[in-house]
Amino acid sequence: MHSLRQLIERQILKARAEGKLEGLQGEGRPLPERPEESVVDPAMAAGYRIMAEAGALPEEFRLQAALDEARADWRAATDKAEKKRLMARIADLEMRYDIARDARKKFMG
């Protein structure tokens, strides 16, 4: 592990010396916080990040965003009928999210 770290550091120093680390997106700013990546395999996290930056998120992620939005709408709703309609939407999204998540887990092994 120590030799791998040294190899990585040498590659970074070489790239810096060759000017390959200049003009990159986000240069000079702190790295974005990604606490969710601490519990995910680093390779998977990198893959998801690349897909997100390319606009190609897995269905599971799109459903999670829709679910978050539906829950916020439910919290903001005041009409009883509207809350009931939103609760049905939340239940549907939760079911579809669970199916997508289970499919991904099965596919990934």
Side-chain angles (χ1 to χ4, degrees), residues 3-95:
S3 61
L4 178 61
R5 178 168 283 164
Q6 287 178 327
L7 174 65
I8 292 169
E9 289 295 327
R10 281 196 308 264
Q11 292 295 331
I12 291 171
L13 290 173
K14 179 182 174 191
R16 183 181 293 154
E18 294 173 353
K20 293 180 179 177
L21 299 179
E22 295 176 8
L24 298 174
Q25 179 181 356
E27 182 177 9
R29 294 189 302 238
L31 292 173
E33 291 291 324
R34 294 188 177 115
E36 68 281 357
E37 289 185 7
S38 65
V39 295
V40 177
D41 173 56
M44 293 291 291
Y48 287 144
R49 189 172 55 256
I50 290 166
M51 288 174 22
E53 289 170 1
L57 284 176
E59 180 72 2
E60 172 184 354
F61 287 50
R62 188 189 64 73
L63 288 168
Q64 181 63 56
L67 189 53
D68 291 343
E69 184 179 327
R71 287 178 176 148
D73 291 345
W74 181 84
R75 284 190 298 276
T78 55
D79 180 61
K80 199 172 187 177
E82 180 67 5
K83 279 195 168 282
K84 186 176 180 178
R85 184 190 69 75
L86 289 167
M87 187 53 69
R89 172 91 174 124
I90 290 168
D92 176 64
L93 287 168
E94 284 177 340
M95 179 187 64

